[in-house]
Amino acid sequence: GLPCTFGHAVYYCFITSTTIGYGEFAPQTDAGMLWGIIIIFVQLGILSAVLRSSSDWIVWASRVLFSADSPWFQRTAHAITSVLKLRKQKRGEVVELMPQ
């Protein structure tokens, strides 16, 4: 068989967890198959933890950025309001917002 190095092991874990499974690395024994199943379950746990913390961060960031008290939200709302007012004043004219 193929020599098993640390790099091969990491590659096997990656293709197994992403369900790509090219087939060049496959367990040959019952113990290897059991180990593959264990790896998949551990990786599913890690992936779900990463997704949960990512979604928690996205929810937190959206609450911070889009709350009415947020300086970013106030600046953005002010800029949009200013552009809309300017557009109303200059109907029919092209307004250059970013001079070159």
Side-chain angles (χ1 to χ4, degrees):
L2 296 171
C4 187
T5 65
F6 181 74
H8 289 118
V10 170
Y11 178 70
Y12 172 74
C13 289
F14 177 76
I15 62 172
T16 302
S17 67
T18 58
T19 67
I20 295 171
Y22 292 119
E24 71 266 28
F25 292 109
Q28 302 298 316
T29 64
D30 290 341
M33 291 178 200
L34 179 63
W35 183 245
I37 291 170
I38 292 169
I39 287 172
I40 290 170
F41 279 115
V42 169
Q43 291 170 339
L44 285 173
I46 291 170
L47 179 62
S48 64
V50 168
L51 289 176
R52 177 179 169 132
S53 69
S54 299
S55 64
D56 287 346
W57 182 85
I58 290 169
V59 168
W60 172 82
S62 64
R63 285 183 181 156
V64 168
L65 288 177
F66 299 115
S67 72
D69 298 334
S70 165
W72 179 86
F73 181 82
Q74 291 174 359
R75 285 192 309 270
T76 305
H78 177 71
I80 291 171
T81 305
S82 299
V83 168
L84 291 176
K85 284 181 184 177
L86 185 61
R87 187 172 155 230
K88 277 185 176 179
Q89 292 172 357
K90 304 278 184 176
R91 277 195 193 139
E93 295 179 22
V94 176
V95 178
E96 189 174 333
L97 297 177
M98 298 288 290
Q100 297 181 12

